[in-house]
Amino acid sequence: MTVLIHDDAVPLENHGENAHIVRFYDDNARLIDEVAGFVDAALSIGGAGLVIATPEHAQALRARLKHGDAAATRLVFLDARDTLEHLMVAGAPDGERFKAIIRAACAQLGKHAGTLHAFGEMVALLCADGNYSAAVRLEQLWNELAEEMRFSLFCAYPWQAFPNAEFAARFDQVCAAHQHACTQSADGALHDVMGKPLELVRLERKARALDEEVARRQEAERALQRREEELNDFVENAAEGLHKVGADGTILWANKAELQMLGYRWEEYVGRHIADFHVDADVIDHILKTLLSGGTLIDQPARLRCKDGSVKHVLISSNGCMDGGNLRYTRCFTRDATERHQRDEALLRLERAHAERERLLDELTTANRTKDEFLAMLGHELRNPLSPIVTALQLMRMREESAALREREIIERQVEHLVRLVDDLMDVARATRGQIELKSERGDLAVPLAKAVEMASPLLEQRGHRLAVEVEAGMDWEGDPMRLAQVVSNLLTNAARYTENGGAVTLSARRDGAGWLRIAVKDNGIGLAPEVLPQVFGLFFQGKRSVDRVEGGLGIGLALVKNIVELHGGTVEARSAGLGQGSEFVVRLPVQALAPNSVPEAAAAPLPTPTGRRFTVVDDNADAAETLGMLLSVHGHEVSVFNDPVSALAAAPRLRPDIAVLDIGLPVLDGYELAARLRALPGFENCRLIALSGYGQDADRVRSEAAGFERHLVKPITPEQVARLAED
């Protein structure tokens, strides 16, 4: 801005010595010109100059000085920031340091005419740092120094150091520290205002502050207008639906998204009651009551009518503008929830289907558990009558009875077949629970194959089949030989059953690449249809049978084959060219097939020599108890047989048995309870307890061990097991 200059104003350079002048400026380049003229005025008459400025200003000033090169010895430049660092103590200029610095600078000036013009920029730096009090103190130090030295000092402050009326007091403090204040005339010349040297400068500051305040307010108004425009644009073009509703429920305003979501034009929507668009009257009643009471709604589900007659699922968030407890209007946000509704519906259908699957799974699990329990019970019930039959046949063999020899051999074969069926049933129950254990050992593969042929031979011979065995020599293998014999025996038995009498069956075994063995059973029987090939290893699966059911079987053999082969890390595959074309079952096994649950097979111990022990046998199956007792007697033991636990318990103190063989499924007192009572009798601490049961699951063995039984034998027990009963 331009300030009117008093008529008696005189140029700056005409001031006498010891003048302290302050200059407020906007134009940095013009300031440098003014300082150059001020310093040149002293140099031109043989005087000296002292400049304390920033490096940028010092460089510009050197370029503008007319007498600078000629009066180099009479001109000293000091760095304003470095000088401040040397004289400042605890945030304020130190007087002694200040005087020492100025005197040292003057000592460098050499001989001069006595006129010294100084320019100081340190006060501007202090104001820029916000340290106005230090700037005023520095001005006072210059004034104190003027009492000792003769010089004229020119100080410059940028107007931006006093931006508004809040800095008026600081501005007055700066002015009060100076004798003269300078401003610019209309022609650009710098003049000192005489008469009232500071008042016009103060007026200029006020005018500048007023101009800046006006400019600030104008910019604030423009910014406010821009924000209002941006806000209007934001709400009008927001992706979410927005609308404003009066206290009486009338729609006052709606943005584009709201109208587009429902398909209405402005005049069709705004001005109508909000309830006209809600499908559910109870929902809009709840919304209005909540808002009228000052409440807030967040994601309130609602259904709105669209112009095309459809219904839109939405979520409404709303709150009210209240005035003295009364609702003026509500702000409502409407979000399209169609996809969410569809997801919820779909989720409800995942959930229902999941619940149905869980129900079916529970039913299947229950059915599977019932099946396992049934198989275990069936095996138990079948083993009970088998036990005395097997024992009786063993007794007849040991006595070398020759009567009815052929009939006895028939019974033995059929009983052996029945025992295998029962074993298969129990193995199926174990397989479905993953409880089959492998007892691995290393040996020649031909050994379990020979055992399999021996097991299947009776049926092959009965059907008149020709069996060809083609086994490669010297095939070492590691695995469970008894289980492999069971696998191959089941495959041979299966081939014998589904091949017409007089057919051909081939068992082959050979190496199949590095680390693998291939075992195959092939027949020329009835074959398999393509559609049943994937099903043959399913539990209880049976192919089409003839009317006379000569094929026989329970449909569990191949399921066991698959389970046992996979436990060894191998695979089994069924092949057939079709009905009437025969079948082939191929087993591939790794040479080393130790499964994670396999256990080493203990070497078979030799049968013990009878030592004559006292036995008590308790079994409610009279035949089973009697035949076991007879077999133990043949081995030289003293045996007492009981069919009920009460009688056995009463006789125990008199008999004092060394070994008690107890059936688990006894009436009145089961085997566990009987064992506990026997163990509690005086002197029975060392009586050995052996459990006898038709149940052979792992859980049954664990329970027997917990009850104090040292062994758990599964019916029917073999003669070898009977012989070892007295073993320590």
Side-chain angles (χ1 to χ4, degrees):
M1 62 177 290
T2 301
V3 179
L4 296 177
I5 306 299
H6 197 272
D7 290 340
D8 57 359
V10 296
L12 174 66
E13 53 268 25
N14 292 339
H15 281 294
E17 294 181 352
N18 280 41
H20 194 178
I21 308 160
V22 62
R23 169 76 167 99
F24 300 97
Y25 68 94
D26 280 328
D27 191 331
N28 195 59
R30 181 168 292 178
L31 172 68
I32 298 300
D33 289 338
E34 294 166 358
V35 175
F38 178 67
V39 175
D40 263 330
L43 297 177
S44 65
I45 60 174
L50 173 61
V51 177
I52 307 176
T54 63
E56 296 82 7
H57 285 173
Q59 182 178 0
L61 186 59
R62 288 178 189 272
R64 287 172 171 77
L65 287 173
K66 297 178 181 179
H67 302 86
D69 294 336
T73 59
R74 292 181 282 119
L75 183 61
V76 172
F77 282 86
L78 298 180
D79 185 287
R81 183 64 71 182
D82 289 345
T83 304
L84 273 177
E85 290 180 359
H86 284 87
L87 66 86
M88 295 294 288
V89 176
D94 180 77
E96 294 302 320
R97 292 189 181 188
F98 170 75
K99 291 180 180 179
I101 291 172
I102 301 303
R103 286 171 179 164
C106 291
Q108 301 178 41
L109 294 175
K111 295 181 180 180
H112 57 86
T115 299
L116 173 62
H117 284 186
F119 170 70
E121 197 177 358
M122 292 184 290
V123 290
L125 295 178
L126 289 170
C127 288
D129 293 339
N131 197 346
Y132 289 86
S133 60
V136 173
R137 176 57 184 157
L138 187 57
E139 298 287 13
Q140 293 170 349
L141 291 177
W142 278 108
N143 291 335
E144 292 173 6
L145 186 62
E147 296 177 359
E148 303 176 14
M149 299 175 56
R150 297 181 62 80
F151 61 87
S152 291
L153 176 64
F154 180 30
C155 299
Y157 290 82
W159 276 115
Q160 65 185 19
F162 310 97
N164 52 49
E166 295 177 3
F167 292 84
R170 294 173 180 173
F171 181 84
D172 287 343
Q173 288 176 340
V174 169
C175 290
H178 295 82
Q179 297 170 330
H180 307 280
C182 295
T183 184
Q184 280 182 264
S185 64
D187 60 2
L190 190 64
H191 289 270
D192 177 26
V193 180
M194 304 302 290
K196 296 182 179 179
L198 299 178
E199 290 183 6
L200 290 179
V201 174
R202 291 192 179 97
L203 289 175
E204 184 176 0
R205 184 206 59 75
K206 292 180 179 179
R208 285 178 175 272
L210 180 60
D211 287 345
E212 291 180 2
E213 181 65 19
V214 170
R216 187 185 66 79
R217 288 178 179 269
Q218 290 175 342
E219 179 57 31
E221 290 176 358
R222 287 192 293 270
L224 179 60
Q225 183 178 358
R226 286 195 301 270
R227 284 197 294 270
E228 289 178 352
E229 292 173 353
E230 290 172 358
L231 179 59
N232 290 335
D233 177 74
F234 176 81
V235 297
E236 181 64 25
N237 297 288
E240 296 283 347
L242 304 174
H243 61 280
K244 181 178 178 182
V245 180
D248 62 352
T250 302
I251 302 174
L252 304 177
W253 172 87
N255 71 346
K256 291 179 181 178
E258 178 91 2
L259 298 173
Q260 291 172 356
M261 179 170 51
L262 302 177
Y264 295 102
R265 298 194 304 273
W266 173 274
E267 62 273 14
E268 294 171 333
Y269 193 66
V270 177
R272 295 178 59 181
H273 197 279
I274 188 64
D276 294 344
F277 301 97
H278 274 262
V279 175
D280 305 300
D282 57 335
V283 173
I284 186 57
D285 287 345
H286 166 69
I287 292 174
L288 293 176
K289 288 179 182 177
T290 301
L291 296 174
L292 282 169
S293 64
T296 297
L297 295 169
I298 298 177
D299 284 347
Q300 167 68 49
R303 295 189 300 162
L304 299 180
R305 294 187 181 89
C306 299
K307 183 177 179 179
D308 61 6
S310 63
V311 174
K312 180 77 69 176
H313 289 267
V314 299
L315 295 175
I316 296 176
S317 297
S318 182
N319 59 9
C321 176
M322 309 299 290
D323 183 7
N326 297 319
L327 179 67
R328 290 181 57 202
Y329 60 86
T330 62
R331 300 168 284 257
C332 303
F333 298 80
T334 309
R335 183 150 48 95
D336 189 341
T338 301
E339 292 186 2
R340 172 173 171 172
H341 174 72
Q342 292 172 346
R343 287 197 303 269
D344 290 345
E345 287 293 314
L347 182 62
L348 183 60
R349 292 194 298 270
L350 289 172
E351 289 180 355
R352 290 173 180 167
H354 178 71
E356 180 65 14
R357 284 196 299 271
E358 289 295 317
R359 186 186 65 80
L360 292 175
L361 181 60
D362 288 342
E363 292 181 358
L364 289 173
T365 302
T366 301
N368 190 57
R369 183 170 58 251
T370 302
K371 178 262 298 179
D372 289 343
E373 293 172 353
F374 169 76
L375 291 177
M377 178 64 71
L378 179 61
H380 174 265
E381 293 302 321
L382 290 174
R383 278 174 168 166
N384 274 332
L386 280 175
S387 187
I389 295 174
V390 171
T391 306
L393 288 172
Q394 177 65 14
L395 283 171
M396 295 172 67
R397 188 182 300 111
M398 293 176 67
R399 292 170 180 167
E400 298 181 351
E401 297 179 3
S402 59
L405 179 60
R406 177 171 174 76
E407 290 80 359
R408 193 179 75 219
E409 290 176 347
I410 293 173
I411 294 173
E412 286 179 346
R413 285 197 301 272
Q414 296 304 315
V415 167
E416 185 177 355
H417 176 61
L418 186 57
V419 168
R420 284 205 300 273
L421 288 177
V422 172
D423 287 341
D424 282 351
L425 280 174
M426 301 308 295
D427 280 341
V428 164
R430 294 189 187 98
T432 56
R433 297 180 181 181
Q435 295 175 337
I436 290 183
E437 289 186 347
L438 300 183
K439 299 178 180 179
S440 295
E441 59 184 68
R442 180 174 289 279
D444 193 333
L445 186 68
V447 176
L449 296 184
K451 180 63 176 177
V453 171
E454 178 187 343
M455 295 166 65
S457 290
L459 182 59
L460 290 167
E461 293 172 0
Q462 177 186 341
R463 303 295 296 271
H465 295 314
R466 301 182 304 280
L467 175 65
V469 179
E470 303 168 356
V471 178
E472 186 177 328
M475 288 189 293
D476 285 338
W477 175 74
E478 185 173 337
D480 190 326
M482 292 303 298
R483 289 297 184 182
L484 182 59
Q486 184 180 7
V487 165
V488 179
S489 172
N490 281 349
L491 293 178
L492 290 171
T493 300
N494 188 72
R497 286 174 179 162
Y498 291 95
T499 300
E500 297 292 338
N501 290 351
V505 178
T506 301
L507 168 63
S508 62
R510 58 178 173 80
R511 293 176 179 84
D512 189 21
W516 288 87
L517 304 175
R518 181 184 187 276
I519 303 170
V521 174
K522 188 174 183 180
D523 62 64
N524 61 350
I526 63 175
L528 293 167
E531 62 271 14
V532 303
L533 282 174
Q535 308 172 37
V536 294
F537 296 104
L539 188 58
F540 303 125
F541 172 81
Q542 293 179 328
K544 185 177 180 180
R545 294 176 176 270
S546 60
V547 176
D548 57 7
R549 292 179 55 85
V550 294
E551 297 85 1
L554 299 176
I556 59 177
L558 292 181
L560 277 174
V561 166
K562 184 175 187 295
N563 186 273
I564 295 172
V565 168
E566 289 179 348
L567 282 176
H568 281 85
T571 61
V572 60
E573 177 187 5
R575 301 174 180 175
S576 178
L579 293 177
Q581 303 296 314
S583 304
E584 183 180 24
F585 289 81
V586 179
V587 174
R588 293 185 75 251
L589 293 172
V591 172
Q592 185 172 355
L594 275 174
N597 65 340
S598 62
V599 294
E601 172 71 5
L607 292 178
T609 302
T611 56
R613 301 294 183 90
R614 293 191 302 274
F615 273 83
T616 290
V617 175
V618 186
D619 194 333
D620 59 328
N621 186 320
D623 291 339
E626 182 181 356
T627 53
L628 178 58
M630 294 170 63
L631 192 57
L632 286 170
S633 298
V634 169
H635 283 283
H637 302 297
E638 179 182 341
V639 184
S640 300
V641 176
F642 298 90
N643 299 128
D644 70 279
V646 176
S647 300
L649 187 62
R654 173 176 54 84
L655 297 174
R656 302 186 66 81
D658 300 310
I659 302 171
V661 182
L662 310 179
D663 180 33
I664 295 299
L666 293 171
V668 184
L669 298 176
D670 62 22
Y672 303 119
E673 180 66 21
L674 178 58
R677 295 197 182 189
L678 285 174
R679 186 71 77 194
L681 293 174
F684 274 72
E685 296 83 2
N686 297 321
C687 179
R688 296 169 56 198
L689 302 177
I690 297 174
L692 189 61
S693 174
Y695 296 101
Q697 301 291 335
D698 287 347
D700 303 317
R701 299 178 187 277
V702 170
R703 187 178 180 187
S704 294
E705 183 179 357
F709 289 98
E710 69 175 47
R711 294 185 187 178
H712 183 103
L713 302 180
V714 180
K715 299 177 182 179
I717 60 175
T718 65
E720 291 80 5
Q721 289 175 313
V722 173
R724 289 196 174 93
L725 287 179
E727 182 181 353
D728 290 329

